[in-house]
Amino acid sequence: MTRPRTRTAILISGRGSNMMALVEAARRPDYPAEIVGVVSNRPDAAGLVWAAEHGLPTAVVNHRDYPNREAFEADLHAALLGLGAELIAQAGFMRLLTAGFVAKWDGRLINIHPSLLPSFKGLHAHEQAIAAGVKIAGCTVHFVTAEMDAGPIIAQAAVPVIDGDTPETLAERTLKAEHQLYPAALAAIAGGHARLVEGRVANRMTVNQQAVLLSPDGA
Ligand code: GRF
């Protein structure tokens, strides 16, 4: 008996290149997740246009329309339930979510961050990596907890930092790794190979699902 595909919603705030990578991966009939819709907190997110053009339901829950986080998150939660989402993938979603919201989606809310966590949390991760002088940078897919970028790590990809890199060149190289890692990590979760058990990742992932290593040219 084939396992039903996990109904997955994507949260974005911007251009949505990681969203595109997940949507493209989910076109494969054997991919264990189905993308059921895209929700943005910003009405001007470019990724919304792409999603609509590709036939996906889209919704905007604009945080500026709400007096506080709880009211915003109540509507966000309702929008996700309206899509029938079982799993949420944040892809460049630029809002911090409260402990109350996170608890409702415990073990079913994941994010990608453009650093090798626990290093370089928060904004400007590439600038932080270059300033620290690290030679290996990368990206991390993790379960979301109430503490920013601190949830249990599911998978990581490494990219080299090259002499003369700027935040922009490092971001471009890292993004290629993100587009490989996120679909692999989502497949592992949707396929039941990785899950959150008592705050830790119980893992039956393949090496390729949990670690991606890119060469300097991103190949
Ligand atoms: C990515 O680098 C992601 O890791 C970070 O924000 C960026 C979003 O890019 N959280 P995109 O919108 O997916 O193109």
Side-chain angles (χ1 to χ4, degrees), residues 99-147:
F101 182 93
V102 168
K104 284 188 189 133
W105 294 93
D106 187 39
R108 301 184 299 141
L109 175 57
I110 63 175
N111 179 45
I112 188 160
H113 179 75
S115 78
L116 290 176
L117 292 172
S119 294
F120 315 134
K121 294 173 179 160
L123 294 175
H124 311 304
H126 304 297
E127 269 172 64
Q128 294 185 54
I130 290 170
V134 297
K135 303 304 175 200
I136 307 275
C139 52
T140 303
V141 178
H142 63 95
F143 284 107
V144 175
T145 58
E147 196 184 335

Side-chain angles (χ1 to χ4, degrees), residues 142-218:
H142 63 95
F143 284 107
V144 175
T145 58
E147 196 184 335
M148 183 183 62
D149 298 331
I153 292 173
I154 299 160
Q156 294 186 306
V159 301
V161 182
I162 297 171
D163 215 24
D165 260 341
T166 62
E168 291 72 30
T169 59
L170 182 56
E172 192 183 333
R173 191 175 312 117
T174 306
L175 208 54
K176 288 182 184 163
E178 294 184 43
H179 297 164
Q180 293 186 35
L181 185 72
Y182 212 178
L186 175 60
I189 292 160
H193 298 291
R195 62 199 168 91
L196 193 61
V197 180
E198 291 168 6
R200 298 185 67 87
V201 178
N203 178 12
R204 289 189 290 118
M205 289 187 278
T206 65
V207 170
N208 286 344
Q209 283 172 322
Q210 69 177 9
V212 172
L213 304 176
L214 283 201
S215 66
D217 61 5

Side-chain angles (χ1 to χ4, degrees), residues 11 63 66-77 80 88 90 93-107 109 143-149:
L11 294 183
H63 62 281
Y66 297 88
N68 55 48
R69 283 181 189 275
E70 286 71 20
F72 162 67
E73 289 177 354
D75 272 9
L76 182 62
H77 185 65
L80 292 162
I88 309 171
Q90 296 187 174
F93 181 66
M94 300 302 285
R95 299 303 294 172
L96 290 177
L97 296 165
T98 65
F101 182 93
V102 168
K104 284 188 189 133
W105 294 93
D106 187 39
L109 175 57
F143 284 107
V144 175
T145 58
E147 196 184 335
M148 183 183 62
D149 298 331

